[in-house]
Amino acid sequence: MIIIDGKKISQDIKNEVKIAAGKFNLENGFFPGLAFILVGENPASQSYVKSKGKACEDIGFYSVTERLPATVSEHEVLSLIGRFNNDSKIHGILVQLPLPKHINEQRVIEAISPLKDVDGFHPASVGKMMIGIDTFFPCTPYGIVELLKRSNIDPSGKHVVVVGRSNIVGKPIANMLVQKKEWANAVVTIAHTGAKDISYYTKQADILIAAVGKAKAITKEMVKPGVVVIDVGINRIEDSSAKNGTRLVGDVDYDGVKEVASAMTPVPGGVGPMTIAMLMVNTLKAAGGKL
Ligand code: NAP
C-alpha cells in the first residue's frame, strides 16, 4: 500500500511557490500579499490562521492579520473587506470560517472581490469552476487534485465516489474531477445522508474521497480491494495513550482500510497540509504570478 505523503508533497509545492515568488519580486518589485480576517477566539480558527501566516512568512509573501472580537458587527467585517479590496498591497483576502452566528457568511464571502478570492468560495469562482473555466479553486479540493497528480494517480476513466456534499469539499472536488480535462475526466458519484446504503456506492469506488466529518466512518468492509483512498476528515477522538488524551483521526478507519487499499492518505499528514500549500498557489496567482 502506498502512503500518499501530503506533508512532503505540500512542502514541495511551497518550495516551488517560494522560488516563483522570489522571481515575481525581481520582476515586479513586490511580493504577493495576503490578508487574513479572524473573528472571535475559536482555537481551531486561530491555529489555522497562525499556520497560514507562517506559510506566508516562510515563502516571503507579505501578510496582515486583522483580529476582530466575536461581537464585531457584520457591517464592520464588510467594511474591512472593502478596505482590503482596495488595497494594492493585498492580492488575496481570506476570512477564516466559521463566523459568529450573527454574521451572514454568504454576504461576507460575496463581499470579497472575485479577483482576490483565494479561498475560491465566491459564487463567481464556483460558477467558473462548474463550467470548467480557470479560476481560484477552493484550497482543499484543489489540494486533492494535486495529491493525485503528484502521486501519478490519474482519475481519468475511473469511478470516483465522494462521500459528503459540502460546499467546501464534497461538491467542489466532484466538480473538479468530472471536468473533461487532464487529471480529471472521472465518472463521479456523490454520496451523502440521503443514500439508503452508503456502502453500495463506496464499494464501487476506484478512488474514494471521504469528506464525511465522522471519525472512521469508512471501514474495510465498505471498499473494494485496490481502492485509492483520500481521507479529508479531521476528527479529534479520545485516546488515553496520547499525551493530551486525544488524537486526530480521519473519516476512514485507516488501520482496517490499509489492508485492502492500494494507496491512501494518512491523517494527519495527508490532505490537511495541502490546503495551506494551495492557498499559497492561489495567492501567487492572484498577484499575477505563476508556478
Ligand atoms: P460537512 O460540511 O459536515 O459535510 C459532511 C458531509 O458528509 C455532508 O454532506 C453529510 O451529508 C455527509 N455525511 C455525514 N454523515 C454521513 C453518513 N453517515 N453517510 C453519508 N454521508 C454523510 O463537512 P466538510 O466541511 O465537508 O468536512 C468534512 C471533513 O473534512 C471534516 O472532518 C472536516 O474537519 C474535514 N476538512 C478538512 C480540511 C482539510 O484537510 N484542510 C478542510 C475542510 C474540511 P448531508 O449533506 O446529507 O448532511
Side-chain angles (χ1 to χ4, degrees):
M1 208 265 312
I2 296 164
I3 298 172
I4 301 174
D5 189 348
K7 218 168 153 187
K8 180 184 179 301
I9 295 173
S10 65
Q11 193 54 55
D12 290 347
I13 294 171
K14 284 189 280 184
N15 292 344
E16 291 166 23
V17 175
K18 184 173 182 163
I19 292 167
K23 196 165 157 254
F24 179 87
N25 178 45
L26 281 178
E27 289 165 357
N28 299 284
F30 64 90
F31 280 97
L34 180 52
F36 299 102
I37 300 176
L38 176 60
V39 182
E41 308 283 322
N42 180 329
S45 294
Q46 285 177 329
S47 143
Y48 287 140
V49 169
K50 196 172 158 202
S51 307
K52 290 168 185 174
K54 166 91 173 39
C56 287
E57 208 177 292
D58 292 345
I59 284 170
F61 284 175
Y62 167 70
S63 80
V64 285
T65 303
E66 285 285 345
R67 289 165 214 279
L68 303 170
T71 52
V72 72
S73 69
E74 183 179 305
H75 178 73
E76 282 172 272
V77 177
L78 296 178
S79 305
L80 182 57
I81 292 172
R83 217 181 77 206
F84 285 135
N85 278 341
N86 293 313
D87 184 339
S88 60
K89 291 209 296 288
I90 297 298
H91 306 95
I93 302 169
L94 185 145
V95 180
Q96 186 63 47
L97 303 177
L99 292 171
K101 288 212 165 50
H102 67 278
I103 300 177
N104 183 315
E105 273 185 10
Q106 197 54 34
R107 262 204 293 272
V108 166
I109 289 169
E110 290 184 30
I112 296 170
S113 161
L115 300 173
K116 301 191 177 188
D117 178 35
V118 287
D119 244 346
F121 293 159
H122 192 287
S125 308
V126 177
K128 284 184 175 175
M129 174 183 67
M130 171 86 184
I131 57 175
I133 296 177
D134 189 40
T135 186
F136 294 114
F137 297 110
C139 301
T140 301
Y142 192 11
I144 296 172
V145 171
E146 208 56 33
L147 272 182
L148 292 172
K149 202 188 222 176
R150 290 176 185 243
S151 307
N152 209 20
I153 298 166
D154 190 350
S156 181
K158 305 266 167 52
H159 187 189
V160 172
V161 177
V162 180
V163 187
R165 58 177 159 187
S166 72
N167 289 338
I168 61 166
V169 188
K171 282 182 202 152
I173 188 59
N175 230 296
M176 290 171 79
L177 291 178
V178 83
Q179 300 293 332
K180 192 168 185 171
K181 64 178 191 186
E182 281 191 332
W183 299 103
N185 200 34
V187 176
V188 180
T189 298
I190 309 181
H192 42 73
T193 56
K196 283 197 183 75
D197 173 13
I198 202 83
S199 63
Y200 170 79
Y201 301 96
T202 56
K203 273 181 192 161
Q204 296 179 43
D206 300 314
I207 300 175
L208 179 69
I209 300 178
V212 194
K214 295 209 164 73
K216 304 185 185 184
I218 307 292
T219 61
K220 182 179 161 187
E221 295 70 34
M222 295 168 73
V223 299
K224 75 174 177 190
V227 64
V228 171
V229 179
I230 306 292
D231 189 352
V232 188
I234 303 176
N235 309 286
R236 191 165 283 285
I237 60 163
E238 285 181 15
D239 179 358
S240 54
S241 68
K243 228 196 227 162
N244 65 354
T246 67
R247 74 185 160 101
L248 291 180
V249 295
D251 290 343
V252 178
D253 174 21
Y254 187 86
D255 290 333
V257 174
K258 78 171 190 223
E259 289 173 19
V260 288
S262 61
M264 221 173 147
T265 58
V267 177
V271 176
M274 293 299 290
T275 301
I276 295 183
M278 302 324 287
L279 174 67
M280 300 297 115
V281 172
N282 278 349
T283 304
L284 176 69
K285 179 180 177 151
K290 55 175 180 246
L291 279 186

